[in-house]
Amino acid sequence: MLALGCSDGMLRVCDVNNGRIVHQIAARASISCLDWVAEDKSSTQSRNSAPFDNILNIDVTASLPKLSPLPTVSSPDSIFTSKVVLDSMINSSFMSEESSVIDILVNGDEDSRIFFNIFGHFSIEYIQFPSSLEKLTPLSHASSADLSFHAFIVESQDHSLFIFPLRVHFIRRFGNDLAHISSTSTKVQALLIYISDVIGAIAAEWKSMESALLKPMKSLEDVLLAEKDSDIVLRLLETLILGVPNETFKGWISNHLSDRAIRAWRKVSSTAYENIRKLLLESLIPACERAVVLTTRVRGLARWRERGVHLGLNPDSYTRIIDALTLIMGKAHRLIWDLNKEYDHFKPFIQWMKFILDDVTNHDSTSEDSDTPIETAKVATYITDYLHNQTMANYFSADGAAMGNSTNLNDLVENLRNLCEKAFRESSDAMKNHLAFGSPLKLVENITAKKLHMSSRVIQRENESYMYTAISSEANPKVVSLICLDISGNFAELTSCMVRSAGFTTPNESIESLEFVDDEKLMLLLHPIDPASSKTKARIVSLAFDKLFAERAVIIDTRELNTAVCSVQYSTDMSEPTWDQCRTFTDDFMPIALAVNGCKGRRVGSVIADDNHRFLVFDLDDDEAADDEEVDDDTMNE
């Protein structure tokens, strides 16, 4: 997955295998900072565990039938037409090893706010910086391996850069309960998307069935209006009872109906009936059942007073969600009943239409039901009850009834979505009470550049902790400044720590982007200063940044510092370092932004092209594989 902060303020997550958007987070102010961090697997073992945790680890959902991918014909825009996406977001084991590892999608906006999205869906929103400064714009983010410490580099209104530390206490304090709540929230909201897509697929099938009926009925209505007669039901019943169509009816049959049209009508309608029933039985109802099971788990935790109250869980909120799901399932079962009843009347009706066509055209029928008696009573019922009032219309048209009595499936799903948002918001608000900002440290004063490239990383080595920051500005695009803060003693107080600084230059190239890959490597995206004289248009290089500090560091104490950290001499040597890896690009793909994931077992990087429509994913441990990589042309649209 690749997270994209787009110019319309939307946060989009796309599948790098096919470029398809799999998740969107509601529009906010312009995104200024974006990072996706995951808890180190070793950290899950250090979380607070409580008695009876093993009870919560029982995965009931593993015994439920897996949901089926949605048909591409009726759900072309759904992400759940892909079995891979469906399995990863919904069908995967609730208590798998990966699901117990917390990941947070962090973003900040230009309104001085931070947003945490745990597992991509469980949101802790509108976290404000506690500062006397009027406006702070977060630009970069870093976190510790256990996600208990976060640091943000922010720009103030007077164009100074500060490092703001943030302690996140709820991850350790709530132990494994947080993983249960956030995992449940993520899966329930994924199920909501799936349910909405199922409803959309059902509506699409109904529209095709409705179109198959409206076309011949519209032509009959036009013929009758020409004869100053507009009562279709009466004319059809008259033909059914008398057995002999009048001249007007004969003319309509001869000119507007054919054996092929009748067969197409029958096929489209029968297929739609069957597909709708299949979607209801195999997709909608099982999805609701799975959501009930997941919600019941959280409600049980909410009723546990010793733990649920501290987590901000209200059992009544989850009871209302279960009631809403039960109502949808009840309506779905009723729709299946009504649909079967309508289809039972449609079959003799279309058989009778075929009989009338053969009789008027003197055609010998060769259809398989030519010898089957026509149930005229059911034909009459279809004409009077279903011709102008199809069953599906009762479940998709607004009836103005109270929500509890409404049969409109879209309204019921929207009500369910609102209930889920309210319930999970109560818990996320409780998490906010377990956040604590520390004192900011001024990093740079009077930044004049409009464009900054920076990356931060928190590294823990045994009992020691360090925060590394790399900065390059548009004003001096060939220079990289490296800062290392020793935060071993006090994570929250950066104003009383030792600082080491270093730096280097890239003589003939400008720095377009930089990212810490892991605890050892720093990766840079470089463009030539003079593209006309350069053989390569862009390249990615990496280096071991800790060696620079060993060879070039200047050490200072922030308690003795009266100015910004970067205003002090930051290196004893600014020469170009030795690059460990190199990857070059040519004219057909000009990268402008870089993102990396250096986690063990993943280790991939990604670059976005200058057209903002294409991205490329590469192996971090492969020196030069650009020729073997594929570029997806349908990945990002701004």
Side-chain angles (χ1 to χ4, degrees):
M1 302 297 175
L2 177 67
L4 302 169
C6 299
S7 57
D8 59 359
M10 289 290 288
L11 191 60
R12 294 176 171 88
V13 179
C14 74
D15 184 344
V16 297
N17 297 303
N18 53 30
R20 178 174 290 181
I21 302 296
V22 298
H23 180 48
Q24 295 187 118
I25 297 176
R28 297 169 177 143
S30 181
I31 296 172
S32 61
C33 168
L34 182 62
D35 195 16
W36 203 344
V37 292
E39 183 182 29
D40 188 87
K41 290 184 179 180
S42 61
S43 302
T44 60
Q45 301 172 359
S46 63
R47 288 199 215 123
N48 293 337
S49 59
F52 310 110
D53 267 354
N54 288 335
I55 296 176
L56 291 173
N57 290 337
I58 299 174
D59 187 9
V60 182
T61 59
S63 302
L64 296 176
K66 289 188 176 182
L67 298 182
S68 303
L70 299 181
T72 54
V73 175
S74 52
S75 311
D77 298 326
S78 174
I79 61 174
F80 294 114
T81 56
S82 166
K83 186 177 184 300
V84 174
V85 174
L86 182 64
D87 287 344
S88 65
M89 295 184 67
I90 295 178
N91 289 333
S92 59
S93 174
F94 184 81
M95 293 310 301
S96 65
E97 182 181 357
E98 187 170 345
S99 68
S100 64
V101 176
I102 294 173
D103 68 77
I104 305 178
L105 185 57
V106 183
N107 72 287
D109 64 24
E110 294 183 354
D111 289 339
S112 306
R113 299 177 300 185
I114 303 168
F115 303 82
F116 282 0
N117 294 281
I118 304 176
F119 292 116
H121 285 271
F122 183 74
S123 298
I124 302 175
E125 302 179 322
Y126 306 115
I127 304 170
Q128 296 282 354
F129 289 102
S131 176
S132 58
L133 300 172
E134 292 184 9
K135 184 180 180 181
L136 295 173
T137 303
L139 302 177
S140 182
H141 166 265
S143 67
S144 59
D146 61 359
L147 304 184
S148 63
F149 171 75
H150 296 253
F152 292 87
I153 297 180
V154 301
E155 183 180 3
S156 63
Q157 202 166 20
D158 62 356
H159 304 294
S160 296
L161 295 185
F162 293 84
I163 301 179
F164 252 101
L166 172 65
R167 290 305 303 263
V168 177
H169 298 291
F170 59 75
I171 293 179
R172 282 182 173 272
R173 188 166 296 174
F174 294 149
N176 293 323
D177 294 337
L178 176 63
H180 289 295
I181 296 170
S182 51
S183 292
T184 299
S185 169
T186 297
K187 288 193 177 291
V188 167
Q189 292 189 62
L191 282 166
L192 282 175
I193 299 172
Y194 181 85
I195 290 170
S196 297
D197 290 349
V198 171
I199 299 298
I202 292 172
E205 293 288 351
W206 171 44
K207 290 300 180 184
S208 65
M209 181 171 62
E210 188 180 39
S211 299
L213 173 65
L214 287 177
K215 186 176 180 180
M217 291 300 106
K218 181 65 169 65
S219 61
L220 176 57
E221 183 181 11
D222 293 341
V223 170
L224 293 177
L225 283 174
E227 298 293 329
K228 297 182 179 180
D229 183 359
S230 60
D231 198 333
I232 296 177
V233 173
L234 184 60
R235 291 298 146 260
L236 289 171
L237 286 175
E238 178 185 71
T239 305
L240 177 65
I241 294 170
L242 297 178
V244 179
N246 60 25
E247 293 302 318
T248 302
F249 205 82
K250 284 183 180 180
W252 169 68
I253 291 175
S254 301
N255 297 324
H256 295 89
L257 286 186
S258 64
D259 183 65
R260 177 180 293 181
I262 291 289
R263 282 190 280 111
W265 184 359
R266 185 202 301 264
K267 182 178 180 180
V268 170
S269 298
S270 299
T271 301
Y273 278 120
E274 182 57 35
N275 288 343
I276 291 172
R277 287 186 297 189
K278 186 176 180 180
L279 285 166
L280 290 168
L281 282 169
E282 299 182 9
S283 298
L284 181 59
I285 295 174
C288 291
E289 291 173 342
R290 186 175 283 263
V292 167
V293 171
L294 292 170
T295 307
T296 304
R297 289 173 60 92
V298 182
R299 185 177 65 174
L301 189 60
R303 287 174 173 173
W304 196 346
R305 291 186 179 180
E306 290 80 2
R307 298 167 75 170
V309 173
H310 300 292
L311 293 167
L313 301 177
N314 182 355
D316 293 337
S317 297
Y318 294 94
T319 298
R320 284 189 283 271
I321 293 174
I322 294 171
D323 290 342
L325 287 164
T326 305
L327 180 60
I328 292 174
M329 286 190 286
K331 298 297 183 184
H333 281 290
R334 185 65 198 178
L335 175 55
I336 293 171
W337 175 275
D338 292 343
L339 207 61
N340 287 340
K341 188 177 179 181
E342 179 181 327
Y343 186 50
D344 188 50
H345 289 78
F346 171 77
K347 289 186 290 185
F349 170 75
I350 200 71
Q351 181 187 357
W352 174 68
M353 292 297 296
K354 179 67 168 64
F355 172 80
I356 294 295
L357 173 66
D358 292 340
D359 184 57
V360 170
T361 58
N362 296 318
H363 182 267
D364 292 332
S365 177
T366 58
S367 62
E368 57 184 17
D369 56 5
S370 58
D371 297 329
T372 305
I374 298 174
E375 299 177 82
T376 54
K378 290 185 176 180
V379 176
T381 301
Y382 184 86
I383 293 171
T384 56
D385 294 354
Y386 298 110
L387 195 65
H388 291 314
N389 185 30
Q390 289 182 292
T391 296
M392 294 297 298
N394 299 326
Y395 291 85
F396 282 90
S397 59
D399 52 16
M403 189 58 65
N405 300 319
S406 174
T407 58
N408 189 325
L409 288 173
N410 286 316
D411 289 344
L412 296 179
V413 172
E414 183 61 29
N415 177 56
L416 173 63
R417 182 181 290 106
N418 293 334
L419 291 173
C420 289
E421 289 180 359
K422 180 178 182 296
F424 293 123
R425 192 184 307 118
E426 292 170 349
S427 184
S428 67
D429 288 343
M431 305 295 177
K432 279 188 181 181
N433 298 325
H434 299 277
L435 300 173
F437 280 96
S439 302
L441 173 67
K442 182 177 284 190
L443 190 62
V444 184
E445 286 182 317
N446 300 320
I447 287 289
T448 57
K450 295 181 180 179
K451 191 174 182 180
L452 289 170
H453 304 293
M454 66 180 70
S455 179
S456 303
R457 186 174 182 86
V458 175
I459 298 175
Q460 293 169 291
R461 300 187 180 104
E462 296 180 353
N463 296 324
E464 298 179 337
S465 300
Y466 303 92
M467 179 181 171
Y468 288 85
T469 301
I471 301 176
S472 177
S473 70
E474 188 179 45
N476 201 354
K478 298 185 291 183
V479 176
V480 175
S481 303
L482 290 167
I483 306 295
C484 175
L485 303 178
D486 186 346
I487 53 177
S488 302
N490 191 346
F491 277 108
E493 293 300 329
L494 301 181
T495 52
S496 58
C497 64
M498 299 302 293
V499 181
R500 292 187 298 157
S501 62
F504 62 87
T505 60
T506 56
N508 300 314
E509 294 168 298
S510 64
I511 298 157
E512 294 298 316
S513 185
L514 48 83
E515 291 284 342
F516 285 100
V517 177
D518 49 31
D519 292 353
E520 299 176 354
K521 300 285 186 179
L522 175 68
M523 185 168 281
L524 298 91
L525 171 60
L526 305 176
H527 285 188
I529 297 293
D530 183 9
S533 61
S534 176
K535 293 181 180 180
T536 59
K537 299 303 178 185
R539 64 172 180 157
I540 292 175
V541 296
S542 63
L543 75 156
F545 60 86
D546 223 22
K547 290 182 180 179
L548 296 177
F549 287 98
E551 298 168 356
R552 313 180 180 188
V554 173
I555 302 176
I556 56 175
D557 188 338
T558 55
R559 288 171 295 185
E560 301 174 358
L561 194 65
N562 296 320
T563 183
V565 173
C566 286
S567 63
V568 182
Q569 181 187 9
Y570 45 75
S571 187
T572 58
D573 180 6
M574 293 298 292
S575 62
E576 183 176 10
T578 302
W579 307 119
D580 294 338
Q581 288 177 302
C582 183
R583 175 183 306 273
T584 59
F585 297 87
T586 54
D587 288 336
D588 59 338
F589 190 94
M590 177 63 72
I592 59 169
L594 170 69
V596 297
N597 185 343
C599 294
K600 185 178 180 181
R602 297 187 180 180
R603 297 194 59 79
V604 293
S606 178
V607 286
I608 293 180
D610 55 354
D611 57 12
N612 284 328
H613 288 270
R614 297 176 296 157
F615 70 81
L616 184 148
V617 178
F618 58 90
D619 184 351
L620 288 177
D621 299 319
D622 185 7
D623 282 352
E624 186 65 74
D627 294 337
D628 300 327
E629 290 157 358
E630 295 181 359
V631 177
D632 191 329
D633 290 327
D634 300 308
T635 54
M636 176 180 175
N637 292 299
E638 287 195 353

